[in-house]
Amino acid sequence: MTGMAFFSIQDSLIKFIFEDIALFELYLGRTLIQATILLAFVILTKKHITLKTHYPFLTLLRVICFFFGFSFFYISLTYMSLAMANALFFSSPFFVSILATIFLKEKVGIRRWGAVAIGFIGVIFVVNPQNISFNYLYIFPIIAAVFLTIRDIATKGIATKTNSFEIIFITSLLMTLFSGIGSLFFEFTFKIEYLPNLFISSIFLTIAYIFSVLTIFYAPLSLTASSRYSVIVFGMIFGYFILNEVPSTNMVIGATIISLSGLFVIRRQKKLGKIE
């Protein structure tokens, strides 16, 4: 949930500048800053990092899914509020629970499926379909959810022989390389006034990644799926204070349902003795 909070803050900061900057330039600036922060941390702490991976295919798959997932999500931010984009994006716990049972052989009980379903009912409240006309752009956050779910499955697959910091560091280096190549084919639109937002958002994103990857390392994906819904609540809070996006009554009701579903899963797993 801490990771989700930091993701929401960086999403709010990115939305300020995304409409005026090319996607590849945004990625290049952000990942370059992130890689520099991580490199400075490695040097200061004398942390041992190896760039050799035991799972080259899964590592590459993770970066590709990461890139396309956030690309679709950021594009959707230009056409809808942060809370709306987050609500549509968080159809992802369904995909996480389904793919975790198929590829990771995690057992998901009927109560946890019920909690995920109730959380999605909360998503429907947030979206309030009676007041919106269908637009194909609403599919973009859902496509992003599919890509980022596959990324999490790939992360779980490489967690046995790679530490969390190495995953983040290698991902930032590859993203810098890919976005740098991609930016060569588009007009340069970056302005110096974008730098503070980009720098601060990169710091928040780095912290969010650390919490997110640690979650994948130490907890079953299907267990943490429902608690990810909390990003909608954080999106409403930071969307209001940073972007002046006022949440509707439906959003507040939906956010309450979403939060309760996530807390139910945590309480249920604690009762069964699966978590402390």
Side-chain angles (χ1 to χ4, degrees):
M1 290 179 75
T2 305
M4 295 301 103
F6 281 108
F7 274 127
S8 292
I9 296 171
Q10 79 92 28
D11 287 340
S12 301
L13 295 171
I14 287 296
K15 188 171 181 180
F16 266 123
I17 62 175
F18 182 58
E19 293 182 15
D20 301 314
I21 185 173
L23 182 64
F24 284 110
E25 287 180 30
L26 172 64
Y27 275 140
L28 178 59
R30 197 183 66 177
T31 55
L32 194 58
I33 294 170
Q34 184 184 30
T36 304
I37 294 170
L38 293 173
L39 184 60
F41 178 80
V42 169
I43 295 171
L44 290 173
T45 59
K46 298 180 180 179
K47 197 175 183 70
H48 176 70
I49 294 292
T50 175
L51 297 181
K52 181 180 179 181
T53 175
H54 295 276
Y55 304 98
F57 173 75
L58 288 178
T59 301
L60 184 61
L61 176 65
R62 186 181 185 280
V63 174
I64 292 172
C65 289
F66 177 91
F67 178 81
F68 282 105
F70 276 100
S71 295
F72 278 105
F73 184 75
Y74 287 146
I75 292 170
S76 70
L77 285 181
T78 63
Y79 299 99
M80 61 189 76
S81 70
L82 180 60
M84 175 73 77
N86 278 330
L88 292 171
F89 173 76
F90 270 84
S91 54
S92 63
F94 272 120
F95 301 121
V96 168
S97 295
I98 292 168
L99 294 181
T101 57
I102 295 173
F103 294 105
L104 301 178
K105 308 302 180 184
E106 293 182 3
K107 294 182 179 179
V108 180
I110 190 168
R111 287 184 176 86
R112 203 186 304 172
W113 280 117
V116 172
I118 291 170
F120 194 70
I121 291 172
V123 170
I124 294 173
F125 266 93
V126 173
V127 173
N128 192 15
Q130 292 181 343
N131 292 340
I132 61 173
S133 56
F134 180 78
N135 190 319
Y136 73 92
L137 292 170
Y138 293 138
I139 299 173
F140 279 24
I142 298 174
I143 297 174
V146 175
F147 274 115
L148 294 178
T149 299
I150 298 171
R151 178 206 63 179
D152 287 347
I153 297 292
T155 302
K156 197 72 172 178
I158 64 180
T160 55
K161 291 188 178 180
T162 311
N163 67 54
S164 57
F165 196 85
E166 282 182 357
I167 291 176
I168 298 167
F169 191 63
I170 292 171
T171 299
S172 68
L173 289 179
L174 289 175
M175 283 292 292
T176 302
L177 176 63
F178 291 169
S179 56
I181 295 172
S183 64
L184 296 175
F185 299 94
F186 294 89
E187 181 183 357
F188 187 78
T189 58
F190 188 82
K191 297 178 181 178
I192 194 67
E193 55 260 35
Y194 299 153
L195 198 56
N197 261 20
L198 207 56
F199 183 77
I200 297 171
S201 68
S202 298
I203 293 174
F204 281 115
L205 185 65
T206 303
I207 298 171
Y209 283 156
I210 292 171
F211 279 103
S212 180
V213 172
L214 286 173
T215 300
I216 294 169
F217 263 61
Y218 296 115
L221 282 177
S222 52
L223 168 62
T224 57
S226 291
S227 62
R228 296 181 181 205
Y229 280 125
S230 63
V231 78
I232 302 176
V233 181
F234 294 125
M236 289 168 54
I237 294 170
F238 296 120
Y240 176 77
F241 285 107
I242 298 176
L243 301 171
N244 295 319
E245 295 175 350
V246 180
S248 64
T249 303
N250 277 57
M251 285 187 178
V252 174
I253 294 172
T256 304
I257 295 172
I258 290 162
S259 301
L260 291 175
S261 72
L263 291 172
F264 171 80
V265 170
I266 294 171
R267 183 177 181 276
R268 175 66 182 168
Q269 294 303 300
K270 186 175 181 180
K271 186 177 181 181
L272 294 174
K274 294 185 178 180
I275 56 174
E276 296 182 0

